[in-house]
Amino acid sequence: MKKIRAFAPATVANVCCGFDVLGFAVDFPGDEVVLTLNDSGEVTMSKIEGDGGRLPIDASKNTAAVAVQSFLHGIGKVQGVAIELYKNLPLGSGMGSSAASGVASLVAINHLMGNPLTREQLVVHAMEAERIACGSAHADNVAPCLMGGFVLVRDYHPLDVIKIPATKNLYATLVHPHIELKTSDSRRVLKTVVNLKDAIAQTGNIAGLMIGLSTEDYSLISRSLKDTIAEPIRSAFIPGFDSVKNSAQKAGALGCGISGSGPTMFALSIDQNTASRAGEAMQLEFLKSNLKSEVYVSKVNQEGARIIDSE
Ligand code: HSE
């Protein structure tokens, strides 16, 4: 096997109360890559489409290539690889765009090399791609992108990622307004010290969300989808934030918040109709702020990135 095509989905990091420690994957949209092995001994980017010419073709700066370099280094192999990247996820959207490119490449190279690493073991290599993309090696996009479902990053030192035995019944709505926010900028504005009251509220909510997800207690999930740390600061960057959030809740969603570092907003619902209604309501509210948006509705993805075909 010398050539392989892989897909990695968008992800929602933070999920309100889990700043940098919780994320989930959706079924679509996502990025695709085609990896071809060669004898050059080098990892190169041979093509990038769908990025409007904005992503670096330099392999040392591109997340898709950096992830593969880190993987090959990790397993102690020298291998030439040419990477074609087909971007479907918008840049600076909060939908885990950089994570998806790195993860798609990683599952592809892992497969080509005979799957020496588990999905969980690939997380550290995907984090290297995040470091290149935004200066911070957070795992709350890459871990669910690799493993599917809701994934908790219990600790970073050493890394401890856990796929939560969560309900598989939830539908996610993603509404992406047409503005761009760089993750590095959205991180820079956050406070480095959190006051005790906010820390207590966040701890209660993340614990409540874990229990709600694993016992299918939808009321508890709903009560727990709150963020006292990032949202109060980041919401200022999203025009109409409060009314968009209220509209999702009025439409029947369990909760609504910022997807990753924004500006995309997400909602969770217990059925597809509610998820679609929430999407329409949120889109309408963004329009009142003169913002067009795309709406995506899908189940919470359970498998993570996947191989499409190989030859
Ligand atoms: N947890 C990260 C953040 C996710 O909120 O900055 C970025 O997509």
Side-chain angles (χ1 to χ4, degrees):
M1 197 193 327
K2 286 207 124 177
K3 188 170 178 175
I4 195 161
R5 180 182 285 266
F7 168 88
T11 42
V12 171
N14 302 338
V15 201
C16 294
C17 49
F19 179 74
D20 272 2
V21 300
L22 183 66
F24 67 83
V26 294
D27 283 338
F28 62 88
D31 286 353
E32 271 184 40
V33 293
V34 175
L35 265 62
T36 310
L37 299 184
N38 57 43
D39 298 329
S40 69
E42 279 180 27
V43 178
T44 55
M45 296 299 303
S46 52
K47 190 200 265 187
I48 308 176
E49 277 183 12
D51 66 325
R54 297 177 56 200
L55 289 175
I57 198 89
D58 177 346
S60 66
K61 297 193 176 120
N62 189 296
T63 61
V66 167
V68 171
Q69 283 160 345
S70 172
F71 166 88
L72 289 170
H73 183 74
I75 64 165
K77 287 258 160 69
V78 175
Q79 173 64 58
V81 189
I83 304 172
E84 298 168 28
L85 171 60
Y86 300 92
K87 280 296 301 172
N88 290 312
L89 294 178
L91 310 181
S93 62
M95 292 163 69
S97 178
S98 54
S101 302
V103 165
S105 287
L106 270 178
V107 297
I109 188 69
N110 194 38
H111 201 84
L112 283 169
M113 303 305 280
N115 287 315
L117 300 188
T118 64
R119 290 288 173 110
E120 212 173 305
Q121 289 170 328
L122 292 175
V123 174
V124 283
H125 301 297
M127 286 168 67
E128 286 311 307
E130 288 289 60
R131 194 193 306 281
I132 286 290
C134 75
S136 134
H138 56 275
D140 51 341
N141 289 110
V142 293
C145 192
L146 278 162
M147 296 160 70
F150 283 86
V151 179
L152 175 72
V153 187
R154 191 202 60 82
D155 201 357
Y156 279 84
H157 310 289
L159 188 66
D160 187 5
V161 290
I162 298 138
K163 185 165 174 170
I164 301 156
T167 171
K168 296 187 171 58
N169 297 334
L170 292 176
Y171 283 81
T173 308
L174 295 182
V175 184
H176 170 235
H178 292 182
I179 44 175
E180 194 173 310
L181 283 179
K182 276 192 179 165
T183 299
S184 50
D185 293 340
S186 300
R187 293 183 77 83
R188 204 170 300 126
V189 293
L190 297 177
K191 292 182 195 150
T192 49
V193 177
V194 172
N195 78 45
L196 189 59
K197 191 168 136 269
D198 292 337
I200 291 168
Q202 195 90 342
T203 313
N205 283 321
I206 188 75
L209 184 57
M210 296 296 94
I211 296 169
L213 287 170
S214 55
T215 60
E216 303 200 4
D217 182 337
Y218 298 113
S219 161
L220 179 55
I221 294 173
S222 183
R223 299 200 301 281
S224 306
L225 285 170
K226 295 190 181 122
D227 175 7
T228 53
I229 292 181
E231 182 182 297
I233 297 167
R234 288 176 168 176
S235 55
F237 295 125
I238 304 175
F241 175 84
D242 288 334
S243 50
V244 174
K245 181 170 165 167
N246 289 338
S247 74
Q249 278 158 347
K250 257 197 219 153
L254 295 173
C256 173
I258 304 173
S259 175
S261 54
T264 293
M265 288 179 67
F266 82 97
L268 282 172
S269 302
I270 44 177
D271 61 69
Q272 191 165 13
N273 279 345
T274 310
S276 300
R277 268 204 315 275
E280 283 163 25
M282 292 162 77
Q283 188 170 48
L284 209 63
E285 289 305 319
F286 271 130
L287 267 181
K288 290 183 188 164
S289 302
N290 291 321
L291 276 178
K292 289 190 179 157
S293 58
E294 279 98 38
V295 179
Y296 305 96
V297 173
S298 97
K299 280 208 112 166
V300 171
N301 170 286
Q302 299 300 323
E303 322 300 333
R306 63 176 195 273
I307 302 301
I308 297 174
D309 53 52
S310 57
E311 46 187 76

